[in-house]
PDB file of all heavy atoms in Angstrom:
ATOM      1  N   ILE A 328      53.489  -1.208   0.855  1.00  0.00           N
ATOM      2  CA  ILE A 328      53.925   0.153   1.186  1.00  0.00           C
ATOM      3  C   ILE A 328      55.384   0.409   0.831  1.00  0.00           C
ATOM      4  O   ILE A 328      55.779   1.562   0.639  1.00  0.00           O
ATOM      5  CB  ILE A 328      53.681   0.451   2.682  1.00  0.00           C
ATOM      6  CG1 ILE A 328      54.531  -0.460   3.573  1.00  0.00           C
ATOM      7  CG2 ILE A 328      52.207   0.318   3.025  1.00  0.00           C
ATOM      8  CD1 ILE A 328      54.434  -0.133   5.050  1.00  0.00           C
ATOM      9  N   LEU A 329      56.205  -0.656   0.709  1.00  0.00           N
ATOM     10  CA  LEU A 329      57.637  -0.451   0.501  1.00  0.00           C
ATOM     11  C   LEU A 329      58.166  -0.985  -0.823  1.00  0.00           C
ATOM     12  O   LEU A 329      59.317  -0.697  -1.171  1.00  0.00           O
ATOM     13  CB  LEU A 329      58.435  -1.101   1.647  1.00  0.00           C
ATOM     14  CG  LEU A 329      58.237  -0.508   3.039  1.00  0.00           C
ATOM     15  CD1 LEU A 329      59.071  -1.280   4.052  1.00  0.00           C
ATOM     16  CD2 LEU A 329      58.600   0.971   3.070  1.00  0.00           C
ATOM     17  N   ILE A 441      49.884   5.408   1.590  1.00  0.00           N
ATOM     18  CA  ILE A 441      51.201   5.528   2.227  1.00  0.00           C
ATOM     19  C   ILE A 441      52.304   5.179   1.240  1.00  0.00           C
ATOM     20  O   ILE A 441      53.417   5.719   1.307  1.00  0.00           O
ATOM     21  CB  ILE A 441      51.251   4.620   3.470  1.00  0.00           C
ATOM     22  CG1 ILE A 441      50.220   5.088   4.496  1.00  0.00           C
ATOM     23  CG2 ILE A 441      52.644   4.612   4.098  1.00  0.00           C
ATOM     24  CD1 ILE A 441      50.045   4.127   5.649  1.00  0.00           C
ATOM     25  N   ALA A 444      53.784   8.201  -0.480  1.00  0.00           N
ATOM     26  CA  ALA A 444      54.666   8.996   0.379  1.00  0.00           C
ATOM     27  C   ALA A 444      56.052   8.366   0.460  1.00  0.00           C
ATOM     28  O   ALA A 444      57.081   9.072   0.391  1.00  0.00           O
ATOM     29  CB  ALA A 444      54.052   9.137   1.774  1.00  0.00           C
ATOM     30  N   PHE A 445      56.122   7.052   0.590  1.00  0.00           N
ATOM     31  CA  PHE A 445      57.424   6.377   0.644  1.00  0.00           C
ATOM     32  C   PHE A 445      58.148   6.476  -0.694  1.00  0.00           C
ATOM     33  O   PHE A 445      59.386   6.572  -0.732  1.00  0.00           O
ATOM     34  CB  PHE A 445      57.235   4.915   1.045  1.00  0.00           C
ATOM     35  CG  PHE A 445      57.138   4.711   2.527  1.00  0.00           C
ATOM     36  CD1 PHE A 445      55.934   4.417   3.129  1.00  0.00           C
ATOM     37  CD2 PHE A 445      58.266   4.813   3.324  1.00  0.00           C
ATOM     38  CE1 PHE A 445      55.837   4.229   4.492  1.00  0.00           C
ATOM     39  CE2 PHE A 445      58.188   4.622   4.693  1.00  0.00           C
ATOM     40  CZ  PHE A 445      56.965   4.337   5.272  1.00  0.00           C
ATOM     41  N   LEU A 448      59.846   9.865  -0.698  1.00  0.00           N
ATOM     42  CA  LEU A 448      61.019   9.885   0.184  1.00  0.00           C
ATOM     43  C   LEU A 448      62.175   9.094  -0.427  1.00  0.00           C
ATOM     44  O   LEU A 448      63.336   9.513  -0.342  1.00  0.00           O
ATOM     45  CB  LEU A 448      60.644   9.305   1.548  1.00  0.00           C
ATOM     46  CG  LEU A 448      59.702  10.151   2.415  1.00  0.00           C
ATOM     47  CD1 LEU A 448      59.301   9.393   3.673  1.00  0.00           C
ATOM     48  CD2 LEU A 448      60.362  11.476   2.782  1.00  0.00           C
ATOM     49  N   ALA A 449      61.865   7.941  -1.044  1.00  0.00           N
ATOM     50  CA  ALA A 449      62.922   7.147  -1.667  1.00  0.00           C
ATOM     51  C   ALA A 449      63.523   7.865  -2.857  1.00  0.00           C
ATOM     52  O   ALA A 449      64.746   7.796  -3.095  1.00  0.00           O
ATOM     53  CB  ALA A 449      62.376   5.784  -2.089  1.00  0.00           C
ATOM     54  N   PHE A 452      65.761  10.818  -1.039  1.00  0.00           N
ATOM     55  CA  PHE A 452      66.836  10.531  -0.074  1.00  0.00           C
ATOM     56  C   PHE A 452      67.262   9.076  -0.043  1.00  0.00           C
ATOM     57  O   PHE A 452      68.138   8.716   0.752  1.00  0.00           O
ATOM     58  CB  PHE A 452      66.399  10.933   1.343  1.00  0.00           C
ATOM     59  CG  PHE A 452      65.895  12.338   1.446  1.00  0.00           C
ATOM     60  CD1 PHE A 452      64.542  12.591   1.613  1.00  0.00           C
ATOM     61  CD2 PHE A 452      66.767  13.416   1.363  1.00  0.00           C
ATOM     62  CE1 PHE A 452      64.067  13.883   1.710  1.00  0.00           C
ATOM     63  CE2 PHE A 452      66.298  14.711   1.459  1.00  0.00           C
ATOM     64  CZ  PHE A 452      64.960  14.954   1.633  1.00  0.00           C
ATOM     65  N   GLY A 453      66.650   8.205  -0.838  1.00  0.00           N
ATOM     66  CA  GLY A 453      67.030   6.799  -0.828  1.00  0.00           C
ATOM     67  C   GLY A 453      66.596   6.104   0.446  1.00  0.00           C
ATOM     68  O   GLY A 453      65.516   6.374   0.999  1.00  0.00           O
ATOM     69  N   PHE A 454      67.427   5.174   0.913  1.00  0.00           N
ATOM     70  CA  PHE A 454      67.091   4.427   2.127  1.00  0.00           C
ATOM     71  C   PHE A 454      67.060   5.310   3.370  1.00  0.00           C
ATOM     72  O   PHE A 454      66.390   4.974   4.348  1.00  0.00           O
ATOM     73  CB  PHE A 454      68.080   3.272   2.337  1.00  0.00           C
ATOM     74  CG  PHE A 454      67.758   2.064   1.507  1.00  0.00           C
ATOM     75  CD1 PHE A 454      68.757   1.408   0.805  1.00  0.00           C
ATOM     76  CD2 PHE A 454      66.470   1.578   1.418  1.00  0.00           C
ATOM     77  CE1 PHE A 454      68.469   0.294   0.028  1.00  0.00           C
ATOM     78  CE2 PHE A 454      66.173   0.473   0.648  1.00  0.00           C
ATOM     79  CZ  PHE A 454      67.177  -0.176  -0.052  1.00  0.00           C
ATOM     80  N   TYR A 455      67.763   6.425   3.342  1.00  0.00           N
ATOM     81  CA  TYR A 455      67.676   7.347   4.469  1.00  0.00           C
ATOM     82  C   TYR A 455      66.262   7.923   4.575  1.00  0.00           C
ATOM     83  O   TYR A 455      65.709   8.069   5.674  1.00  0.00           O
ATOM     84  CB  TYR A 455      68.697   8.471   4.306  1.00  0.00           C
ATOM     85  CG  TYR A 455      70.118   7.977   4.249  1.00  0.00           C
ATOM     86  CD1 TYR A 455      70.801   7.903   3.027  1.00  0.00           C
ATOM     87  CD2 TYR A 455      70.784   7.562   5.391  1.00  0.00           C
ATOM     88  CE1 TYR A 455      72.107   7.442   2.957  1.00  0.00           C
ATOM     89  CE2 TYR A 455      72.084   7.098   5.334  1.00  0.00           C
ATOM     90  CZ  TYR A 455      72.737   7.042   4.111  1.00  0.00           C
ATOM     91  OH  TYR A 455      74.026   6.576   4.057  1.00  0.00           O
ATOM     92  N   GLY A 456      65.666   8.246   3.444  1.00  0.00           N
ATOM     93  CA  GLY A 456      64.290   8.723   3.452  1.00  0.00           C
ATOM     94  C   GLY A 456      63.312   7.641   3.877  1.00  0.00           C
ATOM     95  O   GLY A 456      62.344   7.919   4.603  1.00  0.00           O
ATOM     96  N   LEU A 457      63.560   6.394   3.452  1.00  0.00           N
ATOM     97  CA  LEU A 457      62.684   5.297   3.879  1.00  0.00           C
ATOM     98  C   LEU A 457      62.761   5.088   5.388  1.00  0.00           C
ATOM     99  O   LEU A 457      61.745   4.854   6.050  1.00  0.00           O
ATOM    100  CB  LEU A 457      63.065   4.010   3.148  1.00  0.00           C
ATOM    101  CG  LEU A 457      62.779   3.959   1.637  1.00  0.00           C
ATOM    102  CD1 LEU A 457      63.146   2.591   1.083  1.00  0.00           C
ATOM    103  CD2 LEU A 457      61.319   4.257   1.364  1.00  0.00           C
ATOM    104  N   THR A 458      63.975   5.172   5.928  1.00  0.00           N
ATOM    105  CA  THR A 458      64.130   5.010   7.376  1.00  0.00           C
ATOM    106  C   THR A 458      63.386   6.104   8.125  1.00  0.00           C
ATOM    107  O   THR A 458      62.685   5.839   9.116  1.00  0.00           O
ATOM    108  CB  THR A 458      65.623   5.031   7.748  1.00  0.00           C
ATOM    109  OG1 THR A 458      66.303   4.015   7.009  1.00  0.00           O
ATOM    110  CG2 THR A 458      65.795   4.795   9.232  1.00  0.00           C
ATOM    111  N   LEU A 459      63.522   7.340   7.660  1.00  0.00           N
ATOM    112  CA  LEU A 459      62.798   8.445   8.292  1.00  0.00           C
ATOM    113  C   LEU A 459      61.298   8.252   8.168  1.00  0.00           C
ATOM    114  O   LEU A 459      60.544   8.486   9.128  1.00  0.00           O
ATOM    115  CB  LEU A 459      63.220   9.760   7.635  1.00  0.00           C
ATOM    116  CG  LEU A 459      62.516  11.033   8.136  1.00  0.00           C
ATOM    117  CD1 LEU A 459      62.799  11.246   9.609  1.00  0.00           C
ATOM    118  CD2 LEU A 459      62.938  12.241   7.313  1.00  0.00           C
ATOM    119  N   GLY A 460      60.838   7.804   7.015  1.00  0.00           N
ATOM    120  CA  GLY A 460      59.409   7.579   6.834  1.00  0.00           C
ATOM    121  C   GLY A 460      58.868   6.479   7.738  1.00  0.00           C
ATOM    122  O   GLY A 460      57.762   6.602   8.283  1.00  0.00           O
ATOM    123  N   LEU A 461      59.631   5.397   7.903  1.00  0.00           N
ATOM    124  CA  LEU A 461      59.196   4.320   8.790  1.00  0.00           C
ATOM    125  C   LEU A 461      59.111   4.787  10.231  1.00  0.00           C
ATOM    126  O   LEU A 461      58.193   4.399  10.975  1.00  0.00           O
ATOM    127  CB  LEU A 461      60.147   3.129   8.663  1.00  0.00           C
ATOM    128  CG  LEU A 461      60.036   2.320   7.363  1.00  0.00           C
ATOM    129  CD1 LEU A 461      61.133   1.272   7.294  1.00  0.00           C
ATOM    130  CD2 LEU A 461      58.663   1.660   7.260  1.00  0.00           C
ATOM    131  N   ILE A 462      60.071   5.612  10.656  1.00  0.00           N
ATOM    132  CA  ILE A 462      60.036   6.130  12.029  1.00  0.00           C
ATOM    133  C   ILE A 462      58.788   6.985  12.238  1.00  0.00           C
ATOM    134  O   ILE A 462      58.088   6.859  13.256  1.00  0.00           O
ATOM    135  CB  ILE A 462      61.315   6.934  12.325  1.00  0.00           C
ATOM    136  CG1 ILE A 462      62.528   6.001  12.331  1.00  0.00           C
ATOM    137  CG2 ILE A 462      61.203   7.665  13.665  1.00  0.00           C
ATOM    138  CD1 ILE A 462      63.855   6.725  12.474  1.00  0.00           C
ATOM    139  N   ILE A 463      58.504   7.848  11.281  1.00  0.00           N
ATOM    140  CA  ILE A 463      57.312   8.701  11.391  1.00  0.00           C
ATOM    141  C   ILE A 463      56.039   7.853  11.363  1.00  0.00           C
ATOM    142  O   ILE A 463      55.088   8.105  12.123  1.00  0.00           O
ATOM    143  CB  ILE A 463      57.303   9.741  10.249  1.00  0.00           C
ATOM    144  CG1 ILE A 463      58.500  10.691  10.394  1.00  0.00           C
ATOM    145  CG2 ILE A 463      56.000  10.519  10.246  1.00  0.00           C
ATOM    146  CD1 ILE A 463      58.633  11.670   9.239  1.00  0.00           C
ATOM    147  N   LEU A 464      56.031   6.831  10.514  1.00  0.00           N
ATOM    148  CA  LEU A 464      54.842   5.978  10.404  1.00  0.00           C
ATOM    149  C   LEU A 464      54.569   5.237  11.703  1.00  0.00           C
ATOM    150  O   LEU A 464      53.423   5.212  12.194  1.00  0.00           O
ATOM    151  CB  LEU A 464      55.025   4.989   9.250  1.00  0.00           C
ATOM    152  CG  LEU A 464      53.864   4.012   9.005  1.00  0.00           C
ATOM    153  CD1 LEU A 464      52.616   4.773   8.570  1.00  0.00           C
ATOM    154  CD2 LEU A 464      54.248   2.967   7.967  1.00  0.00           C
ATOM    155  N   VAL A 465      55.603   4.626  12.276  1.00  0.00           N
ATOM    156  CA  VAL A 465      55.414   3.883  13.525  1.00  0.00           C
ATOM    157  C   VAL A 465      55.020   4.829  14.661  1.00  0.00           C
ATOM    158  O   VAL A 465      54.158   4.502  15.492  1.00  0.00           O
ATOM    159  CB  VAL A 465      56.697   3.102  13.870  1.00  0.00           C
ATOM    160  CG1 VAL A 465      56.577   2.452  15.242  1.00  0.00           C
ATOM    161  CG2 VAL A 465      56.978   2.041  12.814  1.00  0.00           C
ATOM    162  N   ALA A 466      55.636   6.009  14.721  1.00  0.00           N
ATOM    163  CA  ALA A 466      55.277   6.979  15.763  1.00  0.00           C
ATOM    164  C   ALA A 466      53.820   7.419  15.615  1.00  0.00           C
ATOM    165  O   ALA A 466      53.093   7.570  16.614  1.00  0.00           O
ATOM    166  CB  ALA A 466      56.215   8.182  15.695  1.00  0.00           C
ATOM    167  N   HIS A 467      53.391   7.629  14.373  1.00  0.00           N
ATOM    168  CA  HIS A 467      51.997   8.023  14.148  1.00  0.00           C
ATOM    169  C   HIS A 467      51.036   6.901  14.554  1.00  0.00           C
ATOM    170  O   HIS A 467      50.019   7.158  15.236  1.00  0.00           O
ATOM    171  CB  HIS A 467      51.803   8.378  12.676  1.00  0.00           C
ATOM    172  CG  HIS A 467      50.365   8.600  12.304  1.00  0.00           C
ATOM    173  ND1 HIS A 467      49.654   9.699  12.719  1.00  0.00           N
ATOM    174  CD2 HIS A 467      49.512   7.849  11.558  1.00  0.00           C
ATOM    175  CE1 HIS A 467      48.412   9.630  12.246  1.00  0.00           C
ATOM    176  NE2 HIS A 467      48.306   8.515  11.545  1.00  0.00           N
ATOM    177  N   MET A 468      51.333   5.671  14.176  1.00  0.00           N
ATOM    178  CA  MET A 468      50.466   4.559  14.545  1.00  0.00           C
ATOM    179  C   MET A 468      50.438   4.361  16.058  1.00  0.00           C
ATOM    180  O   MET A 468      49.403   4.000  16.630  1.00  0.00           O
ATOM    181  CB  MET A 468      50.935   3.279  13.852  1.00  0.00           C
ATOM    182  CG  MET A 468      50.827   3.319  12.335  1.00  0.00           C
ATOM    183  SD  MET A 468      51.476   1.825  11.551  1.00  0.00           S
ATOM    184  CE  MET A 468      50.331   0.599  12.159  1.00  0.00           C
TER     185      MET A 468
END
Side-chain angles (χ1 to χ4, degrees):
I328 64 175
L329 295 179
I441 297 171
F445 276 106
L448 290 174
F452 308 107
F454 279 134
Y455 300 103
L457 291 183
T458 304
L459 178 62
L461 287 174
I462 293 174
I463 296 175
L464 180 65
V465 174
H467 172 71
M468 296 177 65

